[in-house]
Amino acid sequence: MRFLFRSLLLCLTGLAGTALAAGPLLSPRQLQDLLPQGAVVLDISDAPAYALQHIPGALSAPYGRWRGPADNPGALLPLARLTQLVQELGLSPASRVVVAHSGADATDFGAAARVYWTLKSLGLHQLSILDGGLAGWKQAGLPLDKQPHRAQPSQWQPQFSPRWLATREQVRAGLDQAQVLRVDSRPARFYEGRLAHGAARARGTLPGAINLDSELLFELERPVLLDKAALQDETERLNLAEGQTIVTFCNTGHWAATDWFVLSELLGRPDVRLYDGSMVDWTQSPTPLPMSNEPGRWQQLRYTALNWAHRNLGTAAP
């Protein structure tokens, strides 16, 4: 009897250890260990990619369903639509959810980070992202599935917490507050005002922003995040201080979700917020808002011509 009790205790301890080890970022092998424990895998690739192959038992939850309208893709969806989506996926506050992206590049990770941010804001606590995505899963030699899966719908009525959200009004108010740090997660050409998103009405960045291109947080040419020590080294350029509120932004709250995830979930910064609509939303304000690195009229015309030539003639990007 004593032997059986000890064996049961060791078994339970092992399971608890696995659950505790399941942090915000999982390797493919860690996810494989979680699957028998009822983890819900959300595959955010598009429907045709999901139909072709996916992680066994994964549910299809295309990223496009989590995004706003074409003229402001980063805008937070109404709570009613988010509620319908999480209910379709059978989610509840007790769900253990892993977000899986395709793993083609670092931008795919940004999509997973944005879904993670949304689910966390809705009240889920047991959340992870699959590091490397489906590509990493395949490289690890793990099994694939073609069978579609559907969840039993839930009755969960989530409430959105604004704790990790920065609205346009809050960002505007923060321009006058020294303890608010604005982090531009875009490639340098966007930060410098050379490029702009198609839905943005102006080029440039937020006043006082520091550029931390989200792609610098990944291994070279792989959608796998750097280790924690290397991430800390990359974020040193931000000169982080105690008591700061950090607002990450990009064009549409996509690349910025990666910076938010690294700073908040991996490096443990206590007050990191994501500006959901980011620069597209900022530049669409009825009243023009302050900008930095905004090119003058002739420079804008020059950049427009250079971008056209780059897209249509294959010349170097501006």
Side-chain angles (χ1 to χ4, degrees):
M1 180 63 116
R2 181 177 298 175
F3 173 80
L4 290 174
F5 176 78
R6 184 181 178 186
S7 299
L8 179 60
L9 181 61
L10 287 173
C11 180
L12 291 174
T13 302
L15 290 175
T18 302
L20 289 173
L25 193 65
L26 294 181
S27 70
R29 294 292 179 184
Q30 288 173 318
L31 174 56
Q32 185 185 38
D33 291 341
L34 273 182
L35 290 180
Q37 301 178 38
V40 178
V41 179
L42 300 184
D43 185 326
I44 63 169
S45 58
D46 59 30
Y50 172 83
L52 184 64
Q53 57 184 1
H54 50 263
I55 293 167
L59 303 176
S60 179
Y63 182 53
R65 298 194 64 190
W66 304 87
R67 298 291 273 167
D71 62 346
N72 192 358
L76 187 66
L77 291 178
L79 182 59
R81 284 186 57 188
L82 290 173
T83 299
Q84 179 185 11
L85 180 53
V86 298
Q87 287 183 349
E88 283 181 16
L89 295 169
L91 302 183
S92 74
S95 298
R96 178 69 180 88
V97 175
V98 180
V99 184
H101 54 97
S102 68
D105 53 32
T107 295
D108 281 342
F109 187 96
R114 177 61 189 250
V115 173
Y116 177 109
W117 174 86
T118 303
L119 291 171
K120 181 167 184 171
S121 298
L122 290 174
L124 288 184
H125 303 289
Q126 300 181 85
L127 281 168
S128 299
I129 294 175
L130 176 60
D131 204 13
L134 182 63
W137 178 271
K138 291 165 63 178
Q139 288 170 3
L142 297 173
L144 294 168
D145 189 7
K146 292 185 177 181
Q147 183 68 29
H149 300 274
R150 295 183 65 87
Q152 180 69 29
S154 72
Q155 300 299 315
W156 183 32
Q157 296 290 331
Q159 297 299 313
F160 186 88
S161 169
R163 177 178 172 183
W164 300 283
L165 170 69
T167 65
R168 181 198 294 167
E169 293 73 22
Q170 289 171 328
V171 174
R172 177 67 183 88
L175 297 182
D176 302 320
Q177 299 172 12
Q179 73 273 23
V180 177
L181 176 65
R182 289 164 292 283
V183 177
D184 189 333
S185 309
R186 301 174 297 171
R189 286 189 175 95
F190 288 96
Y191 172 77
E192 295 165 355
R194 295 171 178 266
L195 290 177
H197 188 278
R201 296 177 182 173
R203 301 168 187 261
T205 189
L206 295 178
I210 298 176
N211 189 208
L212 179 61
D213 183 348
S214 63
E215 193 154 349
L216 297 176
L217 304 176
F218 293 87
E219 295 182 7
L220 187 62
E221 297 183 355
R222 294 182 66 209
V224 175
L225 283 172
L226 299 171
D227 61 46
K228 187 172 181 179
L231 291 173
Q232 289 174 328
D233 287 343
E234 288 292 342
T235 58
E236 280 186 357
R237 72 186 67 192
L238 301 178
N239 295 317
L240 300 174
E242 294 298 323
Q244 278 182 320
T245 295
I246 303 171
V247 176
T248 66
F249 69 95
C250 54
N251 288 322
T252 64
H254 179 109
W255 288 321
T258 295
D259 281 16
W260 173 87
F261 179 83
V262 167
L263 291 165
S264 174
E265 307 302 277
L266 299 184
L267 299 184
R269 296 292 303 188
D271 191 8
V272 188
R273 296 169 179 263
L274 173 69
Y275 180 11
D276 58 334
S278 289
M279 292 308 298
V280 167
D281 179 77
W282 186 261
T283 60
Q284 290 181 0
S285 170
T287 303
L289 296 172
M291 298 271 290
S292 291
N293 299 346
E294 189 174 14
R297 180 182 177 186
W298 294 112
Q299 192 75 318
Q300 291 213 34
L301 291 173
R302 175 175 176 270
Y303 286 152
T304 299
L306 289 172
N307 282 317
W308 182 91
H310 174 62
R311 290 193 305 270
N312 296 281
L313 303 177
T315 61

